[in-house]
Amino acid sequence: MRYKTISAMALLLTVAMALSSALGGDDSPAASADGGSGGGDRSGVRKMKLFVSGRDGYHTYRIPAAACTLKGTVLAFCEGRKGGRSDAGNIDILLKRSTDNGEAFSAQQVVWDDGANTCGNPCPVVDVETGTIWLLMTWNLGTDNERQIIDRKSKDTRRVFVTHSTDEGQTWAKPAEITAAAKKPDWTWYATGPGAGIQITRGQHRGRLVVPCDHIEAGTKKYYSHSIFSDDHGRSWKLGGSTPRDKVNECQVVELTDGRLMLNMRNYDRAQHKRQVAFSADGGRTWAHQRFDETLIEPICQASIRRARWPQDKPKGGGADKGMILFSNPASEKGRTNMTVRLSYDDGQTWPIAKPLHPGPAAYSDLAVLADGRLACLYEAGQRNPYESIVFARFDIDWLKGR
């Protein structure tokens, strides 16, 4: 397997190019997917196209994932698809970095390139105790597609890998396979995330790294969500629990104030175009109480959920001492459109605030909390279809609340 990185010197040489691009007109990578150009936060939100399909050697960019490191570096991952939009074929995992809270980003670097094979589903999780950035990923032969893998007619299968960085994402370790620990023998299709994992911050499982995943059973061909976790700072990974009911897959996880975890999942029950959720009281070892969230409508698509604030985290300048959880997805039952960010003050029981980021075509997204307290959403968007670009939007709570 070929593995590529970009050196720190090369990054320094390309920063000027990235800054120049960020100041370009509406046709530059920094131009907003809504038609405006990248600029300041005068309106409370700033949008910048980070990856534009057809540029820099890739036909399509998909599957965004975002993270903010312990030192404040913003990491924007995605898949770079060489031959087309297909989920199969020659696909690499790419990264752009920002050291100024998303004002400007580096040129893209390749995290993992295995020739003509498929390297995808980036799912980062930052260990705040060590500063290490872990990146969970999946792999399959480029000649095998999802249907062949599900039907067991493929030459190989879907495999699970992990890499890590100790220098703010500038370089990455050689990917290590963890399939035996993370995937049961009778599972066919498998995906990490997509989006980001979490580190549990409280209780008896404090420090545990939890990565949301999904799989398909070989015999039943049923879809389930599940989790994997590490209790030794990423050195080894264990398989957690699966959801009690099927018809769910791509998922993300959030820690609740009572110590439980909540898994928020893409729903395949076509009779109800709503997200499903499940809960864990043991740090992701088991999942229970699976149900629909009646507010979170979806067109059957990936989504993101992220804690923005704990109840005791006082906001700058004072104000209400409320916990906050964010959620983003294309808020539509009819199609992948209307990328919307929602806000909950009660651990996702209700979602009283919703603000559209992009009313047009939009699909996958990932949320992040920046070092300066502002929030970010990395999402797929375009004017004609959702896969024209991956946009980085930065905003504050006041914008979300409509102030």
Side-chain angles (χ1 to χ4, degrees), residues 50-64 78-81 84 94 108 380 386-390:
L50 288 192
F51 302 93
V52 179
S53 293
R55 296 183 181 177
D56 298 322
Y58 292 91
H59 180 281
T60 301
Y61 297 97
R62 287 220 55 204
I63 320 301
C78 74
E79 292 182 3
R81 302 184 174 187
L94 308 176
Q108 70 188 28
E380 301 171 337
Y387 316 116
E388 295 172 12
S389 64
I390 293 178

Side-chain angles (χ1 to χ4, degrees), residues 67-70 75 124-128 131-134 197-199 209:
C68 185
T69 71
L70 191 58
L75 305 177
V125 56
V126 177
D127 188 331
V128 298
T132 301
I133 308 143
W134 294 95
I198 67 168
Q199 183 172 40
L209 306 176

Side-chain angles (χ1 to χ4, degrees), residues 322-325 343-348 350 352-353 397 401 403:
K322 293 182 178 180
M324 296 181 183
I325 291 178
L343 175 61
S344 173
Y345 295 111
D346 55 11
D347 279 352
T350 62
I353 294 174
I397 289 291
K401 294 177 178 179
R403 293 177 181 173

Side-chain angles (χ1 to χ4, degrees), residues 37-51:
S37 60
D41 294 4
R42 290 182 298 274
S43 65
V45 61
R46 180 179 189 265
K47 301 178 184 179
M48 180 191 307
K49 288 183 183 178
L50 288 192
F51 302 93

Side-chain angles (χ1 to χ4, degrees), residues 138-257:
T138 53
W139 175 97
N140 57 266
L141 286 175
T143 54
D144 289 341
N145 61 43
E146 183 174 358
R147 179 46 55 191
Q148 291 170 330
I149 293 172
I150 293 171
D151 292 339
R152 289 185 156 180
K153 295 179 179 179
S154 55
K155 293 180 181 179
D156 206 295
T157 188
R158 189 81 154 171
R159 299 178 182 270
V160 191
F161 284 77
V162 63
T163 182
H164 69 277
S165 173
T166 57
D167 59 5
E168 299 295 290
Q170 294 183 71
T171 61
W172 294 84
K174 181 180 179 179
E177 185 172 2
I178 59 168
T179 306
K183 182 183 178 185
K184 291 184 178 181
D186 65 339
W187 291 355
T188 56
W189 188 254
Y190 191 107
T192 46
I198 67 168
Q199 183 172 40
I200 297 176
T201 63
R202 331 177 149 207
Q204 68 179 106
H205 303 296
R206 180 176 179 176
R208 174 176 289 179
L209 306 176
V210 182
V211 172
C213 305
D214 68 85
H215 66 274
I216 297 177
E217 293 180 340
T220 65
K221 295 186 178 180
K222 290 184 177 181
Y223 296 63
Y224 292 89
S225 300
H226 72 275
S227 56
I228 61 175
F229 64 90
S230 174
D231 284 329
D232 55 10
H233 300 287
R235 288 189 294 274
S236 65
W237 294 85
K238 297 178 181 179
L239 183 60
S242 297
T243 52
R245 299 199 305 272
D246 67 329
K247 294 185 180 180
V248 288
N249 67 351
E250 295 171 333
C251 55
Q252 289 200 13
V253 63
V254 67
E255 185 177 3
L256 304 181
T257 55

Side-chain angles (χ1 to χ4, degrees), residues 68-74 101 316 368-375:
C68 185
T69 71
L70 191 58
K71 294 182 179 179
T73 302
V74 183
N101 290 302
K316 292 180 180 180
V369 180
L370 305 183
D372 64 0
R374 284 180 291 185
L375 310 167

